[in-house]
Amino acid sequence: MIKKLLVANRGEIAVRIIRAAKELGIKTVAIYSEADKNCLHTMLADEKICIGPGPATESYLSIPNVIAACEATGADAIHPGYGFLSENAHFADVCEACGITFVGPSKDSIEKMGDKIEAKITAKKAGVPVVPGIEESISNPDDPALIKEVKKIGFPVIIKAAHGGGGKGMRIVNSEESLKIALLTAMEESKKAFGSDKIYIEKYIEEPKHVEIQVIADKKGNAVYFPERDCSVQRRHQKLIEESPCAIVDEKLRKRLGRAALKLVEEIGYYSAGTVEFIMDKKGNFYFMEMNTRIQVEHPVTESISLVKGTRRLDLIKEQILIASGEKLKFSSDDISICGHAIECRINAEDPDKDFLPSPGKIENVILPGGNGVRIDTHIYAGYTIPSFYDSLIAKLIVVGSDRQEAIKKMLRALDEFKISGIKTTIPFHKRVLQVQAFVEGDISTNFLQKYIYQQI
Ligand code: MV4
């Protein structure tokens, strides 16, 4: 069993991980940058150690600094959280080479799923539905055979960067005439952003839903899937609201999604927590998009609605730590049932009236909502100053109700109670979205904000 866990992250997720470790009787080490001296995670951990200046490249992203902190404190494991080094295969490799347990998947799994073309080929091989397309890296945009193949797929098509992920560097192409330029610019952009011009093409699915399946798997070959999350409400590929279950998925479709996710898990011998992303069209056809080989921001919505063997609650971070320690999973997918409906709003320090411009600064005062079915994962407190170096997520507000309508009402009530002074936040924006009729009716796709919010401005 892990004895001392170094949390290689900051903000709400560092706090979340420290809490889980404490409950498991594991000692904790917080790392922090010079800009994070007053961060909550440094106060909650048993020990803390500064690992460098504010810019993440010189602190949270510096592998030598993180490993040195581990050795200086005698931690025997590292939890990377999300972002930063969480999906860095080399880092996972270095940890294991230094005899430090990496609380995450194997280096090979991270590598394989990090290349979106390889991930897609692997999914297809495992029998997971994929979008029709060309699963080869494109080198010559002028190749007549390529143009012929694209015409066979039929426009519109979407160009994606093999090393992009999260929607970065994507391009929708509506006609043959615009194909060549789109390919060339996509390659150029991808090279600049990800250091690789590897791109691929697939049929563009119009107004899809983004649904994803949380999985956990142990190191002995046992895997479990959980009910789907709907993360369709996004802005520039940043999720704003997530919920579970998805309003339009029935028990039969849920099983098919879950089994598809587990096929991929089994194909690559994946272990730890992970998420298999799908897009779904209006008819309920679903297609593999990518796999995230980390714990995600939205994991609490799954925890809030999942019951294990009818009585046990789920803690995905604890499961992740136990799996990393070599323990066997104690339940199967058939042991999971859904209790209620959960929604999460990501509260960012951003000004929704100024195109979501980051709004760092001092939180003068804060009043957190509470009550039955309300959970807040946050690191903020009155007097805390949000630095400008990092992500603008300052709180996750998660509610669980008996059904979706109750959850929406509860979320509106909680958002109303939530008071933050000194900075701008996305709270007013969330209130607005939750009152749009299409949202209330569950009619949400990835085009939701474009369709219902921006047109009103
Ligand atoms: C797509 C798609 C439609 N058709 N693929 C975005 C993030 C990444 N995980 C995959 N994404 C998409 N892939 C096909 N074949 C739509 C999205 C998509 C999206 C596309 C353009 C603008 C905003 C979007 C938001 C979510 C998903």
Side-chain angles (χ1 to χ4, degrees):
M1 189 58 184
I2 292 168
K3 289 194 176 69
K4 200 192 250 194
L5 180 68
L6 182 140
V7 181
N9 216 299
R10 63 179 305 283
E12 69 82 20
I13 194 65
V15 170
R16 167 79 183 87
I17 296 161
I18 291 165
R19 286 174 173 156
K22 279 188 178 178
E23 290 174 22
L24 288 172
I26 296 170
K27 292 275 171 235
T28 53
V29 178
I31 61 169
Y32 65 101
S33 74
E34 284 164 15
D36 275 349
K37 278 194 186 75
N38 298 318
C39 264
L40 185 61
H41 73 285
T42 69
M43 303 174 208
L44 298 184
D46 297 304
E47 286 174 65
K48 58 181 172 183
I49 182 164
C50 184
I51 51 147
T57 49
E58 296 169 57
S59 49
Y60 299 106
L61 283 171
S62 165
I63 295 176
N65 295 17
V66 174
I67 297 289
C70 208
E71 295 192 326
T73 56
D76 54 355
I78 296 181
H79 195 307
Y82 52 69
F84 295 126
L85 296 169
S86 62
E87 289 179 288
N88 185 316
H90 173 63
F91 179 62
D93 195 29
V94 170
C95 286
E96 298 294 338
C98 295
I100 301 161
T101 302
F102 178 72
V103 183
S106 71
K107 151 194 175 265
D108 289 342
S109 289
I110 299 174
E111 225 159 50
K112 219 180 192 115
M113 295 301 106
D115 181 329
K116 309 302 161 195
I117 298 180
E118 205 181 332
K120 190 176 178 185
I121 293 168
T122 308
K124 200 172 169 179
K125 188 172 153 226
V128 180
V130 298
V131 186
I134 304 164
E135 286 100 48
E136 280 160 70
S137 158
I138 288 148
S139 49
N140 176 14
D142 266 329
D143 185 358
L146 171 74
I147 294 160
K148 205 175 144 191
E149 267 193 273
V150 173
K151 279 164 96 173
K152 220 157 72 191
I153 297 165
F155 291 98
V157 295
I158 183 164
I159 305 172
K160 297 182 178 183
H163 292 278
K168 271 177 250 156
M170 298 193 325
R171 221 170 205 85
I172 299 156
V173 184
N174 287 303
S175 67
E176 192 184 340
E177 295 77 62
S178 46
L179 181 64
K180 187 183 159 185
I181 304 268
L183 287 169
L184 284 169
T185 46
M187 284 167 79
E188 209 174 278
E189 262 179 34
S190 176
K191 181 93 198 164
K192 253 199 204 139
F194 316 112
S196 148
D197 63 1
K198 222 166 142 183
I199 54 165
Y200 64 109
I201 299 177
E202 57 189 31
K203 176 83 188 163
Y204 180 63
I205 310 291
E206 315 230 20
E207 293 197 29
K209 266 179 160 319
H210 171 129
V211 293
E212 57 183 36
I213 301 291
Q214 174 76 54
V215 298
I216 54 174
D218 65 22
K219 292 176 177 175
K220 300 176 197 305
N222 307 294
V224 173
Y225 72 82
F226 294 94
E228 74 290 341
R229 296 188 287 252
D230 185 330
C231 309
S232 299
V233 180
Q234 311 188 356
R235 181 186 166 273
R236 299 199 185 153
H237 303 293
Q238 288 280 58
K239 294 167 187 161
L240 291 170
I241 302 175
E242 303 99 343
E243 61 180 299
S244 182
C246 169
I248 64 153
V249 170
D250 61 16
E251 211 34 66
K252 195 169 153 233
L253 182 53
R254 179 163 304 124
K255 231 177 197 144
R256 285 176 52 221
L257 282 161
R259 291 203 170 136
L262 289 194
K263 277 188 198 169
L264 180 60
V265 165
E266 280 154 21
E267 180 72 30
I268 64 173
Y270 189 86
Y271 58 77
S272 190
T275 297
V276 183
E277 253 184 57
F278 298 95
I279 51 171
M280 201 163 78
D281 68 18
K282 284 176 199 73
K283 288 182 249 161
N285 299 311
F286 63 85
Y287 309 94
F288 169 78
M289 285 285 107
E290 49 192 80
M291 181 170 189
N292 302 313
T293 57
R294 60 171 189 277
I295 191 76
Q296 284 182 286
V297 174
E298 60 270 29
H299 76 275
V301 303
T302 302
E303 292 176 332
S304 299
I305 55 102
S306 297
L307 273 188
V308 183
K309 295 183 173 171
T311 54
R312 269 191 60 193
R313 312 216 58 102
L314 177 68
D315 186 316
L316 287 163
I317 305 286
K318 282 189 191 172
E319 294 297 337
Q320 230 187 345
I321 294 171
L322 293 173
I323 288 166
S325 299
E327 298 221 356
K328 190 170 165 262
L329 284 175
K330 293 189 172 68
F331 52 89
S332 68
S333 302
D334 293 334
D335 293 326
I336 307 299
S337 55
I338 301 177
C339 182
H341 191 102
I343 305 177
E344 171 180 277
C345 286
R346 295 190 188 191
I347 314 298
N348 293 335
E350 291 170 357
D351 186 352
D353 292 331
K354 288 192 182 134
D355 201 30
F356 293 81
L357 185 74
S359 176
K362 186 173 174 184
I363 294 174
E364 296 297 342
N365 205 1
V366 53
I367 295 166
L368 298 176
N372 194 356
V374 177
R375 166 177 172 179
I376 300 173
D377 281 19
T378 186
H379 58 290
I380 66 167
Y381 56 86
Y384 173 65
T385 299
I386 300 156
S388 55
F389 292 110
Y390 317 107
D391 196 272
S392 59
L393 182 76
I394 53 165
K396 304 189 306 204
L397 176 54
I398 306 107
V399 301
V400 59
S402 297
D403 55 36
R404 191 168 184 274
Q405 293 313 312
E406 191 183 74
I408 292 173
K409 287 192 188 119
K410 199 182 280 283
M411 181 61 89
L412 281 166
R413 186 272 289 170
L415 287 165
D416 237 16
E417 284 181 20
F418 207 158
K419 304 275 193 269
I420 304 178
S421 54
I423 56 155
K424 297 277 187 203
T425 77
T426 48
I427 292 172
F429 180 81
H430 284 297
K431 286 188 190 173
R432 207 172 131 198
V433 172
L434 290 176
Q435 292 177 85
V436 172
Q437 197 185 338
F439 183 88
V440 175
E441 288 170 3
D443 177 21
I444 41 178
S445 74
T446 51
N447 306 70
F448 175 83
L449 294 182
Q450 281 288 331
K451 223 161 132 179
Y452 297 101
I453 300 287
Y454 293 131
Q455 67 170 25
Q456 293 172 23
I457 298 170

